[in-house]
Every structure is written in C-alpha cells, then in structure tokens.
Amino acid sequence: MEKKKQQQQQQQQSDLDRDGQYCELCGKMENLLKCGRCRSSFYCSKEHQKQHWKKHKLICKEADKAQLPKQKPEQQAAVVAVAVAAAAAAEGDDGDDEAPPEKHQEEKSPGPTDSSSLPPTETDGLGERPGEDSPTNNTATPNGQSSSTPQKLALEYIVPCMNKHGICVVDNFLGPDTGLGILDNVRALHKTGRFTDGQLVSQKGDSTKDIRGDKIKWVEGREAGCEKIRFLMSRMDDLIRHCNGKLGNYTINGRTKAMVACYPGNGTGYVRHVDNPNGDGRCVTCIYYLNKDWNAKEHGGLLRIFPEGKAQFADIEPKFDRLLLFWSDRRNPHEVQPAFATRYAITVWYFDADERARAKEKYLTGAGEKGIKVEFDKASDPS
C-alpha cells in the first residue's frame, strides 16, 4: 500500500514537472527534448537548441542538480505559460561557440486553447457557490498537485502564475467523470442545431468566416440539459472568488454567460486577435476544453498565444478537462489554428468592476447578449 502511494506521489510530481516545460527558444510545450548536459532546459528540436546555444551555454553546466534549492510546486508550475529569454547578457557574447551537447532525452509536455471577441453577455456577480449542487464528489488533482481545494489551487498556483506570466493552465480540473458529463451536455446542445456563427466585435460586412470558423451558443446554465455546464461555471466562479483582489489590480464583480463553441473540424480556425482590445471590462478569459484523445499533430486546433513584449509564443493544446486562464486585454493576442477534428470549448470572461462601469458609461448599454443577475454569495437550487 505504501509503495503504491509513493508511486502515485512520484507520478504526480512527474506530471507537475512536465507542466513546467517549454522550448527555451519558441515557447512550444509539446514533444520536447531535454538538454543532455544540464538536463534542466528543453527544446522542441535540435535546430532550436543550436540556435539558442549562444545564450544557453552560459547557464548550461553539468549541474549539481541535487544541491540546487527545490522549487515549490507553484513555482515549478508557474512556468507552464511563457518562455523568457535566458541570460540577456549573452546578446554581446563573442566567444566560445562550440556546438551544444548532442545527447537528448525525449519528454512529453502539455499544450493549448481559444476564445472569442464577441462583446459578452453580462452577469452581475460570480454565480452560486459550488459544492451543494456538485454532480460528483470529485477530488481531482490539477497539475499533479496534492490538493484540489479551490482555495489552495487559486492562491498557490493560479494567482502567482497569472501575475508572473499572464497565462495559466490547469489540467485534470474536474476529473474524467464530471468532464464527460459536461461533454454530454455540449454534444446534446450542439445536436439541437441552435449554434450560430461566431461574431466579431467590430467586424462589418460578410467576411467573418474568413476570420473565425466556430459555431457558438451562449448558455446561462439554467437551461434544460445544461446542468453539468452550470456546475463547471460554478467551479470557475469559486476559483475566481478565491483569487479576487490578488489578480493584478482587478476587482472582479461579474462575468459573462458561458460561450459554448465548436470548430467543426473542416480546417477552420480563428485568426490572431485580442479578446478585449478596447476596454469593454473583460479582464480574465477562462476556457475549459472537452476534447478526448486530442492529438495536435493530427487534429491541429492549437491555441497559440503571443504574449506582449515576448519574442516567444505559447502553444496550448485543447485537451480534455483542461482549464486555461489568461489576461483578456492586449497583453495576450492569440489565434486558434485550423482544426481537423470537432473541437469543443467553453469560455467565460470575468469583468473588472471599474473598467466595466466605464465601458457602460461610454456605450450607455452593454453590447452582446442581454445579461442576467446572479447573487455573488448565495447558492441557488440547480434543479
């Protein structure tokens, strides 16, 4: 029994370590190779390792790795988002250009997502507290962490990760049973034929399909057959409650309805864009993925984020039961690459109180779907 527990802990730590891996040159997070010398840096290809060697050689040593101070889990996981250039002083280096070590070890690591620029439907507050209406008593362990309590996940992982990188990935968010229940809700909703073409904030004319190819449906969560989607929204709300006041300078007091989106798998995507380019109040984009056995090499559909001020980009694969958060404004331009299999995602945007108030004053009324009011701190009957 003790041996099995140790194996589980080792696997959890391995998963956590994997979530902190990215190509040092381009930020890619899939199918990585480990530097055979220092064994602490990763590259997506030998070519990228060679291109980055001039900088990397300054910190690449036959490391006494065991003597280095161990990082806390949240510090290890925080690098799940964006690669930052190492050793800026190497810009002027003019010596010792020997080739990088040839030895590599193949690694597997996580990946990518999507969102919309449609002015969102508004909800005052963050919905009912989850737990009372939970369809399962799930205790999943996102990113291999030992506890999945919303407060611990929010304060020890999401807050430091978002404040440092502006992007945060949580795997195994709700567990497979709950995830499958949400997927069943979404598939049934899709079969009704009530999804419409995704829209753009300021796009005029008939060229929308050239920009985004998804079909969408706005969901409040109280609709018949959407009970599991509602539970997902309540879990998102609970995380944001625990983060509130600690995410940048934002005070979050509301959110949109959920935008259920489907890329039909015919090679459509969504060109590079910003969710909130003009101060409409959205501060955090929160996306949940529902795609079982997704293989980016075969199916495409990566969400590629181009963080402002970074030479690198972050690729995020739309894997089943993966939650992605990132700043909604101009700091995170992103695109959905062409998808060649049916790709489902559920997106919710959270509002900063001050910016949303200014936007309402400017435009007199909120754009998009009409909003609903939800009490911030009161649970309501899910039935």
Side-chain angles (χ1 to χ4, degrees):
M1 191 71 180
E2 183 64 27
K3 185 176 180 180
K4 186 176 181 181
K5 185 177 180 181
Q6 289 177 347
Q7 290 175 339
Q8 290 176 338
Q9 290 174 340
Q10 289 173 353
Q11 182 61 46
Q12 288 177 346
Q13 185 59 48
S14 175
D15 291 343
L16 184 58
D17 292 342
R18 191 177 302 123
D19 286 343
Q21 298 166 8
Y22 53 83
C23 175
E24 294 284 350
L25 185 66
C26 70
K28 186 177 179 181
M29 301 170 69
E30 299 291 330
N31 303 316
L32 299 177
L33 301 170
K34 182 186 289 184
C35 175
R37 187 180 181 191
C38 68
R39 303 186 64 79
S40 61
S41 293
F42 297 84
Y43 296 92
C44 65
S45 66
K46 291 182 179 180
E47 289 72 22
H48 276 198
Q49 185 193 24
K50 289 177 181 178
Q51 291 176 36
H52 194 252
W53 177 241
K54 193 171 183 179
K55 290 183 178 181
H56 179 59
K57 67 183 179 182
L58 300 179
I59 59 172
C60 181
K61 297 179 180 179
E62 299 282 4
D64 294 302
K65 209 170 179 185
Q67 297 179 12
L68 295 177
K70 290 186 177 180
Q71 290 180 309
K72 295 179 180 179
E74 64 268 23
Q75 292 172 323
Q76 292 175 318
V79 292
V80 70
V82 186
V84 286
E91 290 293 338
D93 184 26
D94 58 358
D96 191 18
D97 287 328
E98 78 263 20
E102 287 299 322
K103 184 180 177 183
H104 295 81
Q105 178 179 340
E106 197 164 347
E107 297 285 334
K108 295 195 182 282
S109 62
T113 93
D114 65 19
S115 60
S116 161
S117 291
L118 182 66
T121 168
E122 184 177 355
T123 296
D124 295 327
L126 299 182
E128 61 280 334
R129 293 186 182 278
E132 295 87 346
D133 58 346
S134 171
T136 68
N137 189 25
N138 188 281
T139 56
T141 54
N143 277 317
Q145 297 182 59
S146 60
S147 172
S148 63
T149 62
Q151 184 174 14
K152 185 177 180 67
L153 179 62
L155 298 181
E156 296 187 8
Y157 175 57
I158 293 176
V159 167
C161 189
M162 285 292 288
N163 286 336
K164 183 174 182 179
H165 299 293
I167 306 170
C168 184
V169 176
V170 179
D171 282 328
N172 310 312
F173 178 51
L174 297 176
D177 292 342
T178 303
L180 286 173
I182 298 167
L183 179 57
D184 287 342
N185 275 189
V186 169
R187 283 174 171 163
L189 194 65
H190 192 203
K191 286 180 180 178
T192 65
R194 295 177 183 174
F195 279 49
T196 59
D197 290 337
Q199 301 173 34
L200 304 174
V201 173
S202 57
Q203 181 69 22
K204 296 181 180 179
D206 57 0
S207 60
T208 297
K209 287 186 178 180
D210 296 332
I211 298 175
R212 60 181 295 185
D214 56 337
K215 303 282 186 178
I216 68 168
K217 172 70 177 173
W218 290 100
V219 172
E220 177 184 339
R222 298 177 183 275
E223 300 88 342
C226 293
E227 293 80 9
K228 303 298 174 59
I229 296 175
R230 184 184 177 195
F231 175 70
L232 166 67
M233 296 165 71
S234 73
R235 281 292 189 182
M236 291 177 172
D237 288 350
D238 206 37
L239 280 183
I240 296 299
R241 280 193 192 92
H242 289 300
C243 293
N244 211 357
K246 301 177 179 67
L247 290 174
N249 296 318
Y250 296 123
T251 300
I252 297 174
N253 69 338
R255 60 158 166 80
T256 67
K257 295 180 185 179
M259 188 190 78
V260 182
C262 171
Y263 287 86
N266 56 357
T268 54
Y270 194 164
V271 301
R272 184 167 169 169
H273 66 282
V274 172
D275 284 356
N276 176 17
N278 299 312
D280 62 23
R282 289 178 288 174
C283 60
V284 175
T285 300
C286 193
I287 307 173
Y288 182 73
Y289 290 106
L290 290 156
N291 307 297
K292 294 283 289 181
D293 303 316
W294 192 268
N295 182 334
K297 289 185 177 179
E298 179 182 352
H299 303 138
L302 294 176
L303 182 81
R304 176 165 289 180
I305 305 179
F306 305 86
E308 184 182 50
K310 306 289 184 184
Q312 300 85 358
F313 52 82
D315 277 345
I316 300 160
E317 196 168 344
K319 290 182 177 180
F320 179 76
D321 201 27
R322 168 172 283 176
L323 184 72
L324 171 73
L325 302 94
F326 58 89
W327 302 133
S328 304
D329 58 20
R330 293 175 181 270
R331 285 172 287 182
N332 285 316
H334 54 281
E335 67 186 18
V336 180
Q337 299 185 341
F340 300 97
T342 303
R343 180 187 186 277
Y344 290 117
I346 299 176
T347 304
V348 170
W349 288 270
Y350 288 90
F351 293 120
D352 172 62
D354 292 340
E355 184 179 311
R356 190 61 176 174
R358 291 194 299 270
K360 282 184 175 181
E361 184 177 352
K362 181 177 180 181
Y363 298 109
L364 300 179
T365 181
E369 298 279 325
K370 217 168 186 181
I372 56 170
K373 289 196 174 184
V374 178
E375 293 293 333
F376 181 88
D377 57 357
K378 291 183 180 179
S380 56
D381 188 351
S383 61

